[in-house]
């Protein structure tokens, strides 16, 4: 079902139709009922006893004498029939208010939000209050990402951007920063849901996702200054896979994860020149389909070669590897698949 929430449109305010009727000269009062009988206001009916009704919840009018053609009329259709301007002032005001509160979420907002989310995660005082989020991470073996400052937490009482406050009631509690893959600067923040939900992740409405990626310290250093770099870069997808790679490979190996599979080709930048690309997208249809596009883009930008990582034991992705075999298991799986170009040792 397509709901107002799913389309991003808000439902009309209760009783909006009454304002339209009053502006057309009809005497009608909101008496608290959802359905209010009224004399039909439509031209040509000259109704003397109430043969129509309005529904103030759905904001429609229905005339039982047939003026509305056996259907309920929307407030907009009614406005036009009565010659009342549309949209009414209530909606015009609402649009102005909406614009005021949902200003675009930009890099400065991302930096502020990420700092607040990270502070929250690093503060032991909130460990108990944020237990649900930590339990979610613990079940997946991802809690150690905390030591790498790879995730933050968002809660209702935090004074953060309105976009992020809206995440919390839906369970979108774990946050991680997205960096511009051309500059290495923070650009956006993605939130991951800790309860079953669709979608699993969110970014603020209207914020920039293309050309951004989760990137660890080594990757950001490489993006800012690729001169003299050697070895390989891991390119994967998704927030939880980023956490899995981070705890398995440490901070010295460059790790870049697109916010979703489709974004993986755009997560590559000129810094790939002369380096080996290790593609570690999901072991599913979307992940497999994107490998060639990632490889082509890297090759166009001068990468040395592309290796594809696939996971043993039917694991779907890096996160599942850690869940099944631990961080060591993922680390060993990567090492054994890169015979000529071994990752540096894990940082202690
Ligand atoms: Zn009528």
């Amino acid at each position: 079902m397509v709901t107002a929430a799913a389309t991003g449109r808000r439902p009309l305010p209760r009783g909006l139709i009454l304002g339209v009727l009053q502006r057309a000269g009809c005497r009608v009062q909101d008496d608290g009922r959802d359905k209010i009988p009224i004399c039909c206001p439509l031209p040509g009916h000259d109704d003397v006893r109430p043969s129509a009704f309005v529904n103030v919840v759905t904001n429609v009018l229905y005339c039982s004498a047939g003026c509305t053609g056996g259907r309920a009329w929307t407030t907009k259709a009614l406005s036009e029939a009565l010659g009342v301007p549309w949209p009414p002032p209530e909606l015009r005001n609402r649009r102005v208010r909406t614009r005021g509160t949902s200003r675009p979420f930009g890099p400065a907002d991302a930096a502020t939000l990420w700092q607040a989310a990270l502070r929250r995660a690093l503060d032991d005082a909130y460990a108990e209050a944020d237990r649900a989020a930590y339990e979610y991470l613990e079940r997946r073996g991802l809690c150690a990402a905390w030591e790498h400052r790879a995730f933050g937490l968002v809660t209702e009482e935090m004074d953060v951007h309105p976009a992020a406050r809206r995440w919390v009631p839906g369970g979108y509690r774990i946050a991680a920063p997205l960096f511009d893959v051309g500059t290495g600067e923070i650009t956006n923040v993605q939130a991951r849901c800790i309860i079953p939900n669709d979608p699993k992740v969110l970014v603020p409405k209207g914020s920039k996702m293309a050309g951004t990626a989760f990137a660890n310290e080594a990757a950001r250093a490489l993006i800012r200054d690729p001169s003299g770099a050697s070895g390989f870069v891991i390119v994967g997808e998704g927030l939880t896979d980023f956490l899995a790679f981070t705890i398995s490979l440490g901070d010295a190996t460059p790790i870049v994860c697109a916010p979703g599979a489709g974004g993986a080709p755009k997560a590559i930048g000129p810094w790939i020149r002369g380096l080996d690309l290790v593609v570690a997208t999901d072991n599913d249809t979307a992940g497999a389909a994107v490998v060639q596009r990632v490889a082509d883009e890297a090759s166009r930008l001068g990468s040395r070669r592309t290796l594809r990582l696939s996971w043993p034991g039917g694991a779907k992705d890096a996160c599942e590897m850690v869940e099944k075999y631990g961080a060591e298991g993922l680390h060993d799986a990567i090492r054994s698949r890169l015979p000529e170009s071994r990752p540096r040792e894990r940082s202690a």
Side-chain angles (χ1 to χ4, degrees):
M1 192 177 84
V2 179
T3 61
T7 59
R9 284 204 313 253
R10 288 197 287 162
L12 297 175
R14 176 190 164 95
L16 180 77
I17 195 166
L18 298 178
V20 169
L21 286 165
Q22 282 154 5
R23 251 164 255 130
C26 304
R27 289 221 308 257
V28 54
Q29 288 290 320
D30 188 353
D31 58 9
R33 286 180 292 174
D34 291 347
K35 276 179 163 187
I36 304 173
I38 60 167
C39 289
C40 178
L42 290 168
H45 187 157
D46 294 327
D47 197 11
V48 288
R49 41 168 216 180
S51 48
F53 70 82
V54 289
N55 185 321
V56 298
V57 177
T58 53
N59 285 295
V60 295
L61 172 112
Y62 179 89
C63 173
S64 59
C67 299
T68 54
R71 290 173 295 123
W73 277 19
T74 63
T75 305
K76 186 180 177 188
L78 178 67
S79 290
E80 282 159 8
L82 298 177
V84 173
W86 181 269
E90 294 92 327
L91 290 187
R92 288 199 293 270
N93 292 342
R94 185 168 78 150
R95 277 178 201 163
V96 170
R97 261 206 313 282
T98 303
R99 217 180 286 130
T101 54
S102 59
R103 63 193 161 81
F105 184 90
D109 298 310
T112 305
L113 173 58
W114 168 237
Q115 279 155 20
L118 182 60
R119 258 199 318 273
R120 174 81 182 201
L122 294 178
D123 191 336
D124 285 341
Y126 296 112
E128 185 55 32
D130 296 338
R131 197 161 58 141
Y134 288 115
E135 280 175 357
Y136 168 91
L137 291 163
E138 197 58 63
R139 278 198 300 278
R140 285 157 183 77
L142 297 175
C143 255
W146 180 84
E147 292 161 31
H148 301 276
R149 301 179 162 223
F151 68 85
L153 296 174
V154 181
T155 66
E156 237 151 9
E157 75 274 17
M158 282 164 64
D159 181 23
V160 291
H161 193 279
R165 268 202 300 278
R166 279 196 289 275
W167 287 341
V168 180
Y172 298 87
R173 298 279 317 276
I174 296 168
L178 288 163
F179 297 90
D180 186 308
V181 298
T183 65
E185 298 304 318
I186 184 169
T187 303
N188 206 341
V189 176
Q190 191 186 67
R192 165 84 196 200
C193 200
I194 63 167
I195 54 177
N197 210 339
D198 185 30
K200 291 177 186 162
V201 291
L202 286 178
V203 293
K205 217 167 164 182
S207 61
K208 177 179 147 73
M209 274 242 283
T212 72
F214 304 108
N216 67 347
E217 186 54 51
R220 279 163 5 232
L222 171 68
I223 291 168
R224 289 190 199 111
D225 180 16
S227 61
S230 64
F232 66 92
V233 182
I234 298 263
V235 173
E237 54 162 295
L239 194 160
T240 49
D241 268 21
F242 177 71
L243 300 184
F245 285 124
T246 298
I247 62 176
S248 302
L249 299 173
D251 298 318
T253 300
I255 303 164
V256 175
C257 284
K266 285 205 155 64
I268 311 282
W271 37 265
I272 199 70
R273 170 171 295 279
L275 301 180
D276 290 341
L277 167 71
V278 177
V279 189
T281 49
D282 285 4
N283 203 4
D284 60 12
T285 318
V290 87
V291 172
Q292 192 56 49
R293 285 170 52 217
V294 176
D296 289 348
E297 179 62 7
S299 159
R300 190 181 72 78
L301 292 167
S303 68
R304 211 159 71 103
R305 60 176 173 164
T306 295
L307 300 162
R308 167 144 204 224
L309 282 184
S310 57
W311 311 118
K316 176 179 156 287
D317 54 23
C319 186
E320 213 173 288
M321 281 295 293
V322 168
E323 201 176 330
K324 280 185 173 171
Y325 309 110
E328 282 297 333
L330 176 60
H331 180 250
D332 294 346
I334 294 170
R335 276 178 72 123
S336 67
R337 279 160 182 75
L338 301 173
E340 294 168 53
S341 177
R342 292 148 55 104
R344 273 165 271 191
E345 291 303 310
R346 301 178 64 197
S347 56

